[in-house]
Amino acid sequence: MKLRHHKKLQLPTEATATQGHSAPLGAAAKRGSLLRKLKLNRARLGSMALLWPSLLGVFIFFLLPFAVVCYYSLIDSPLNHNFVFLDNFKALLNNSSFITAAKNTASFSLVSVPLAVVLALLLALLLEARIPAKSQLRTFFLSPMMVPIASVVLIWQVLFHFNGVANNWLFDLLGIDAIDWFKSDYAQIPVVLMFLWKNLGYNMILFMAALSNVPQELLEVADVEGASRWYKFSRIKLRYLSPTILFVTILSLINSFKVFREVYLLTGDYPYETLYMLQHFMNNTFRAFDYQRLSAAAVLMAIVMVVIIAVLFIIENHFGKDVEG
Amino acid sequence: MKKFFKVLLVVSILAMALLLTACGDNGDQGGYQAPDFVYVPTYFQVEGDVTSIDGAIYHDDVIYFRSYGMIGEKEPDPRDLAYNDGVVEDWMTEVYGTTLYRMNTDGTGLAKIEGFAPIQDDLGNTADLRSMTIDSTGNFWLVECLYVPEYDADFNYVDSTETFFLRKLDNNGNELFKAELTDVLETNEWGYIYVNSIAVDSNDHIYLTAEQNIYILDSEGKKLKKLSKENQWFDYLVTLSDGSVGVTLWEDGYMLQTIDTTSMDWGKSYPLPVNAYNIYTGGGNYELYSSDQSYLYGMNLKTGENETLLNWISADVNFNDVQSVIPLDDNRVLCSTYSWENENSQMELVMLTKTPYAEVPQKEVLTMATVSLGYELRSEIIKFNKTHPTHRIEVTDYSMYNTNDNYEAGMQKLNTEIIGGKIPDLLDMSNIPIKQYVAKGLLEDLYPYLDKDSTVGREDILDVVLRATENDGKLYQVVSSFAVSTMIGDARRLGDEKGWTFAEMLQLVQENPEATLLPTYHTRSDILNYFFMLNIDEYVDWNTGECKFNTDSFINMLEFCATLPEEYNWDEDEPWVDEYTMLSSGQILSLPISFYDLYEYRAYQTILEGNMVAKGYPTSDGHGTLIQFYSSLGMTTKCSNKDVAWEFLRNFYGKDYQEANANWQFPSNKALFDKKMEDAMKEPENNNSDIIGGGTAALSSDGNMVSYREYGRDYIYLSDGTEVEMKPMTQAELDYFMEMLNSADSYISRDASINAIINEEAAAFFSGQKSAADTAAVIQSRATIYVNEQR
């Protein structure tokens, strides 16, 4: 756009050119216009040439597969290719396993995502304050990211085993009988804890970066005006943090969908009901070669994700509209 | 820019159309791609009276082989007389042994290698030729074993000795060298030597495999070196084309391990195809040939690759009948076969010639997929291919894709190909998840074909078989034979009513503390899996997705299984007691059993004096008797020629096939089944006391015959040595059997996933960590998810 504007300033317009020199100038203007178009086309072609590998990649690896998935969700089987419109979606919504998986995934995300955002923000605020060993604490909170997932799963299995550390503590401190954590209605608790342990550090770093970008002048003015700490946080910092909150929320939401990996390693293909996630459903459906159901589930999930992210953008626009983002 | 996106859109649509069209096209011809070359068989007979070709060696365009058969006669010795009631008649004892032959590759020029004679001792015992090879100059090297039994004065076996010899013969069989191996080789931990293979390298060093050792000897029989690997057993030695030697062994899969002839130490190792345990050498372009039941492979040592050379079924060869495979220099493959299908069968040579596919008379192809091809099915396919005028069946055995790490890889590949549109015309459904295939609309309903067929109809097939193989009133599988599976007991203890619940079964156990419910060799996990497999419909409703694992019935089953031993420790000192005795004496109350034919049924009726009761497996509705199938066939909805496919499938309902192949189970053909029932009620035709060779005649020390068995009469042999004669089946017994059979309305189906969930969770209960109810609740939760996913 800048280039186009610049070129416009360089070239005389057709109107100014025709004012003094009617015929010869008109020809020159036409030549100029042609030249400009040619240059513009060359610039476009150049940018297209640079863009096409990426566009091709997006087309082959995203758009085309998604189109195929949409197609598969509307036919009866890969053998017959009969168009069945929404039958696969109706069957999917009548499938109790899918409903269970959707509910579990939603409840997990609803609990874990706000916690991951709020706790990370609190930690960032804590580390922003003048406390000792800030650097060590930062490293400490980031260290879970370096632990391989297999090791994390192993540690969690030991901690939450029927004869594990968590049950021993609960019995010693509160006298509660042993709970089979991963095979009971409490199964999501250890997974939420693992999710937070794994993700808080990274979210915290993002918030710390955002906090450092809050204009100091505004905070100083607020101090001079005698604003309370809560006022400064809610009216200044939170406003400037809203794009980061949106980003961290989306990131955490995506990560919450990816918790399947940990749950799968902990409990396998068919876990206790409360740990059965949407990705279990999709993974198992893929293994059973039921592409229609898999595709319908994927399309539904994509729609829900788009809606959630759109809602988050609307909220962010609403709260962050008066700050530069 | 707009134009660019328009072009992009058009390209997208075209690409998608192409993709989807490609999906559809692949399925039309069952994914069959004609090969460039096929092996065309030519059949011919061997001259003379050779009955087998064993250990064939291809050397200088001549085939050398050994054959076991009668090699002469001798005067009868006391042992022979003992079996003839001490009567000396005018007969001679036949002497069996090995003869060496040479033959041209076209089967002509058959000649005995006259100079060869097996090693014999003074008593007339002849040595057995264990292995043979030829060195570069054409001399034979043999390993022979002389087995000498020792008997006491009553001709009872006392002991035996085995002596191994190494011999070198010239090309006419004349002995050049002989050495006893006893002094050269080490004995194993039981004091024996066992040599099973020999090879010669280009330095004229002799290699012998003896269980966990390989011995390298010089040409004078002197030991040069012994090679071994920790806990490693060795199979076959082969001389490779470069004059080196390799040995096959199992080490993370079946491998060829080469031996460096210079350093006399281990060389490189090369993986062989999974299940290709038949090893051959010969001419041609490959160092080594191997075969499984479906394919012949050639190994290229330079690349380490095993190339698939031919499909035995495509070459009209039933590999089960193959005795020897001799790859020739000109890429032809010579096989000797012997079919056991009828008494008049004889050895036949088959020359397989590599021929361009285009030059072979063309037939339409029906494709068949299998993950484990049985003998009977293989024979039937070859018979169909040889006789059908317009079509032939090409089989893809997906077990070739199994790996040592993943024995499900073949099944996974088949599933993937089917979903990808490569759909076979026919399916061997022995290990196929039938319910899933039916749900995907992959299987053709066979009732319309059965109903319009003039040669076989529903009235020719047992109702119970059709009923059990139906799915929502449609027939998806053809079954030729079946077994009846139930739990039996003595009606005097269990009552004569069929069917029981777990609670009733547990109550019975409590009321009979002196007995166990089942033989003690049944462990808790065995029975849990077994009972669940048989009762799967009791706990799982596949139509509604409802599971009933948190019911008293399942909890009772868990509690019952917990009373069984965790594992069975075989006590060698404890006398063995057979199941007949255990059941009749009241040591056990019941026995899970599959009746494959009427022998076992009649045996238990006899031993329980007509009081056998078929309780079935414990269920809430008392329908605990099931029928079992071991193989079935189906047709896919995408079959390229359904009428011809049905022509093949209907054979399995027919008398001809079932008479030849369904002997070890009940035939599904009604006429044959009825005949089997009638025969069981008849007195044996040969009901006199003639003794036959296969009888159990024996002499006491004073020379009197103490027992004999009548030909045609069946006997039960008990562990205490007693023989109980079985009378022909009575009408009442037949009626009871039919009642039991007709009560079976479903067949045994397996579901590995639910079994895995149950086993995993039951372990916590068996270890005392959880209660049965808590365990059942977890199983209910996990299994419900699984079952609903499958709907």
Side-chain angles (χ1 to χ4, degrees), chain A residues 44 48 51-52 55 59 64 67-68 71-72 77-81 94-97 100 161-163 180 183 267 269-274 276 280-281 284-285 288-291 293, chain B residues 1 4-5 8 11-12 15-16 19-20 23-24 412 415-416 418-419 421 423 436 440-442 637-638 753 757 760-761 769-770 777-778 781-782 784-791:
Chain A
R44 276 179 191 160
M48 281 298 123
L51 261 180
W52 80 262
L55 286 175
F59 173 74
L64 192 59
V68 173
Y71 172 76
Y72 272 132
S77 81
L79 315 180
N80 299 325
H81 296 270
N94 284 327
N95 187 290
S96 66
S97 286
T100 304
H161 187 261
F162 193 75
N163 299 317
D180 192 355
K183 286 165 187 170
T267 57
D269 292 328
Y270 296 100
Y272 192 78
E273 191 181 342
T274 46
Y276 182 68
H280 277 104
F281 181 83
N284 295 342
T285 315
F289 306 107
D290 195 343
Y291 285 3
R293 209 150 25 146
Chain B
M1 196 69 173
F4 175 78
F5 280 109
L8 198 66
V11 171
S12 311
M16 257 196 75
L19 192 78
L20 299 173
C23 287
Q412 288 161 0
N415 279 330
T416 311
I418 283 175
I419 294 302
I423 304 156
Q436 287 180 18
K440 287 179 176 50
L442 189 69
T637 45
K638 289 284 177 182
S753 295
I757 291 171
E760 194 183 319
E761 298 305 333
Q769 202 176 76
K770 283 184 181 176
V778 176
S781 168
R782 296 181 63 191
T784 301
I785 286 171
Y786 168 74
V787 171
N788 279 290
E789 253 187 18
Q790 310 306 309
R791 290 173 58 222

Side-chain angles (χ1 to χ4, degrees), chain B residues 170-186:
Chain B
D170 69 14
N171 200 248
N172 294 317
N174 301 310
E175 186 175 295
L176 301 175
F177 166 78
K178 178 182 170 187
E180 197 177 314
L181 291 171
T182 314
D183 301 330
V184 183
L185 310 185
E186 294 166 16

Side-chain angles (χ1 to χ4, degrees), chain B residues 186-193 211-212 233:
Chain B
E186 294 166 16
T187 55
N188 63 17
E189 58 183 301
W190 301 282
Y192 294 106
I193 295 171
E211 297 178 340
Q212 291 185 284
W233 293 69

Side-chain angles (χ1 to χ4, degrees), chain A residues 192-222:
Chain A
V192 169
L193 290 175
M194 184 198 286
F195 176 79
L196 294 175
W197 180 75
K198 188 91 178 134
N199 291 289
L200 277 184
Y202 186 66
N203 291 355
M204 179 195 76
I205 292 292
L206 294 174
F207 280 126
M208 286 175 76
L211 281 169
S212 67
N213 282 335
V214 177
Q216 286 302 309
E217 313 86 71
L218 282 179
L219 293 171
E220 283 163 11
V221 170

